[in-house]
Amino acid sequence: MSRQSTNRFVRAGVLQGLGAVLAGQGCDLDEVLSGVGLSPAFFQEEDNLIPQADFARLLVRCVETSSNPHFVLQLCAFQDLELGGNLGLLMQTASSLGAALEDIQQFVHIQAQFIHWHLKIEGELAVLSVEMDGAVDNALQRQLVIEVALAQLYKMLMLLTRRKITLRNVRFRVNKPPGTRAFRDYFHAPVDFDCEFDCLVLSRADLGAKVLHSNRMLHELVSNQVQNSGLYHDGRGLPERVRGAIRDYLPQNRCSVESVARVLALDVRALQRHLRDQHQTTYQALLDEVRGEMARLYLRETNMSLAQLTYVLGFTDPSTMSRALRQQLGCSPKQWRQRQRAGG
């Protein structure tokens, strides 16, 4: 499959915590962003997309403004699993670390369209190498983008396995820079430079390690959402496209009309007006319908707990979910499930 050479983007969520880390080093986020032509408001939504060139220039700007050559490592150390968005959700529910790495190889494009991961088994070792497509202005920009990719994946592996695995080795293609101890301290492993590939090396046996929230049912759900996430702009009517976006955002508990309008490339007021005037419905009505349909499906066809259903449907807690679904089901979710299984 050919890879496009233009219009590559990365999710703003990849830069989770940027403002806090800059502030901790005496730098102003607004000033740093203005230096590369980006607006601070753009980072208020983690699913906004940043062009690859702007992302690379921003990393260099952060290093230069903070006078800290290891700014990327400090940023990644500050981050958590939320930086991964839907990809992070998918990896958290995988059956094992190996399965989570399969997910990132297949779906990394929803996080960064110019990054590609490859897992290769070499005897007792598992080598996870990263490649970057697209053009950047200079070698430093490329180095920092690759550094982000390796450092963030390492952080995710540690969080997914509760730090129960240890890297065997980290390899960079760039020449050995000053201050390599910072890399060893971050990765807690030997770090080599002037290598053939940029990669993380771990034990093959670690691929069987259990991950944080392993759950086959939830993993299938999120996988379906990720695979269908490109359908928002197909030929379906607006209500169906809104419903598709709602299904995507529910597990993230960020299913606001603003988020859905953004992914559909519509103004919020225009979205609400079109739904009302052309389809005689509202965003809230569609949200309630989707939640009701999904609740009936999972209550009837699975043994999913109410706590898990709360997560899937994007509610903050089970009691809030039960109150909302009572209007859809005519009774509590627990009672509805009992009646269905009793044949009623």
Side-chain angles (χ1 to χ4, degrees), residues 32 43 81 83 116 121 137 146 192 284 297:
V32 171
F43 288 82
L81 286 171
L83 72 91
H116 307 276
I121 304 301
D137 293 342
I146 292 296
D192 297 323
Q284 187 60 49
L297 173 66

Side-chain angles (χ1 to χ4, degrees), residues 26-93:
C27 304
D28 180 71
L29 175 63
D30 292 5
E31 180 181 341
V32 171
L33 293 177
S34 66
V36 292
L38 293 173
S39 167
F42 190 78
F43 288 82
Q44 293 176 4
E45 288 291 339
E46 60 186 27
D47 286 314
N48 284 340
L49 298 177
I50 306 172
Q52 177 184 11
D54 290 343
F55 176 68
R57 285 194 288 268
L58 177 58
L59 294 178
V60 173
R61 176 80 171 174
C62 289
V63 168
E64 293 175 345
T65 303
S66 64
S67 301
N68 179 5
H70 304 303
F71 180 88
V72 163
L73 297 180
Q74 294 188 11
L75 173 64
C76 295
F78 183 83
Q79 296 176 328
D80 58 33
L81 286 171
E82 290 187 5
L83 72 91
N86 269 343
L87 179 59
L89 289 173
L90 191 63
M91 295 175 71
Q92 289 178 60
T93 56

Side-chain angles (χ1 to χ4, degrees), residues 127-189:
V127 180
L128 194 63
S129 60
V130 62
E131 296 180 5
M132 184 186 74
D133 282 345
V136 292
D137 293 342
N138 53 56
L140 177 59
Q141 289 183 5
R142 182 195 180 280
Q143 172 189 335
L144 294 177
V145 171
I146 292 296
E147 199 173 305
V148 167
L150 290 174
Q152 286 187 339
L153 183 56
Y154 167 75
K155 182 65 177 289
M156 293 180 75
L157 297 184
M158 294 300 103
L159 294 175
L160 286 171
T161 61
R162 299 182 178 90
R163 298 189 176 274
K164 291 182 179 178
I165 67 168
T166 303
L167 291 185
R168 301 285 289 273
N169 182 235
V170 181
R171 302 170 188 170
F172 287 94
R173 290 173 55 187
V174 297
N175 296 330
K176 185 176 181 179
T180 57
R181 179 175 178 177
F183 291 91
R184 295 194 303 271
D185 290 345
Y186 180 85
F187 290 105
H188 299 284

Side-chain angles (χ1 to χ4, degrees), residues 57-290:
R57 285 194 288 268
L58 177 58
L59 294 178
V60 173
R61 176 80 171 174
C62 289
V63 168
E64 293 175 345
T65 303
S66 64
S67 301
N68 179 5
H70 304 303
F71 180 88
V72 163
L73 297 180
Q74 294 188 11
L75 173 64
C76 295
F78 183 83
Q79 296 176 328
D80 58 33
L81 286 171
E82 290 187 5
L83 72 91
N86 269 343
L87 179 59
L89 289 173
L90 191 63
M91 295 175 71
Q92 289 178 60
T93 56
S95 59
S96 65
L97 183 61
L101 294 180
E102 291 178 6
D103 289 334
I104 198 170
Q105 290 178 89
Q106 183 177 359
F107 297 115
V108 67
H109 63 275
I110 69 173
Q111 181 82 342
Q113 296 172 351
F114 46 85
I115 291 294
H116 307 276
W117 290 100
H118 308 280
L119 179 63
K120 182 179 180 181
I121 304 301
E122 298 181 356
E124 296 303 313
L125 300 178
V127 180
L128 194 63
S129 60
V130 62
E131 296 180 5
M132 184 186 74
D133 282 345
V136 292
D137 293 342
N138 53 56
L140 177 59
Q141 289 183 5
R142 182 195 180 280
Q143 172 189 335
L144 294 177
V145 171
I146 292 296
E147 199 173 305
V148 167
L150 290 174
Q152 286 187 339
L153 183 56
Y154 167 75
K155 182 65 177 289
M156 293 180 75
L157 297 184
M158 294 300 103
L159 294 175
L160 286 171
T161 61
R162 299 182 178 90
R163 298 189 176 274
K164 291 182 179 178
I165 67 168
T166 303
L167 291 185
R168 301 285 289 273
N169 182 235
V170 181
R171 302 170 188 170
F172 287 94
R173 290 173 55 187
V174 297
N175 296 330
K176 185 176 181 179
T180 57
R181 179 175 178 177
F183 291 91
R184 295 194 303 271
D185 290 345
Y186 180 85
F187 290 105
H188 299 284
V191 180
D192 297 323
F193 298 88
D194 302 298
C195 298
E196 184 178 1
F197 302 106
D198 297 294
C199 60
L200 303 177
V201 182
L202 56 155
S203 170
R204 181 179 182 178
D206 285 336
L207 298 181
K210 292 294 183 182
V211 300
L212 187 62
H213 299 301
S214 180
N215 186 301
R216 180 185 59 81
M217 195 179 309
L218 291 181
H219 186 267
E220 290 178 359
L221 172 67
V222 179
S223 179
N224 288 335
Q225 292 171 339
V226 168
Q227 293 182 58
N228 293 330
S229 61
L231 300 179
Y232 302 140
H233 301 282
D234 63 13
R236 297 177 298 170
L238 180 61
E240 284 306 307
R241 289 188 287 138
V242 170
R243 289 161 64 90
I246 287 172
R247 291 189 187 96
D248 243 10
Y249 279 110
L250 278 177
Q252 302 180 52
N253 197 24
R254 296 188 296 105
C255 199
S256 66
V257 64
E258 290 81 10
S259 296
V260 170
R262 185 177 301 105
V263 79
L264 294 174
L266 290 172
D267 176 76
V268 171
R269 287 178 293 182
L271 171 62
Q272 294 171 324
R273 184 175 62 254
H274 287 315
L275 289 174
R276 181 187 67 245
D277 296 345
Q278 299 180 21
H279 303 281
Q280 295 73 55
T281 189
T282 65
Y283 175 80
Q284 187 60 49
L286 294 174
L287 175 59
D288 292 341
E289 288 175 12
V290 170

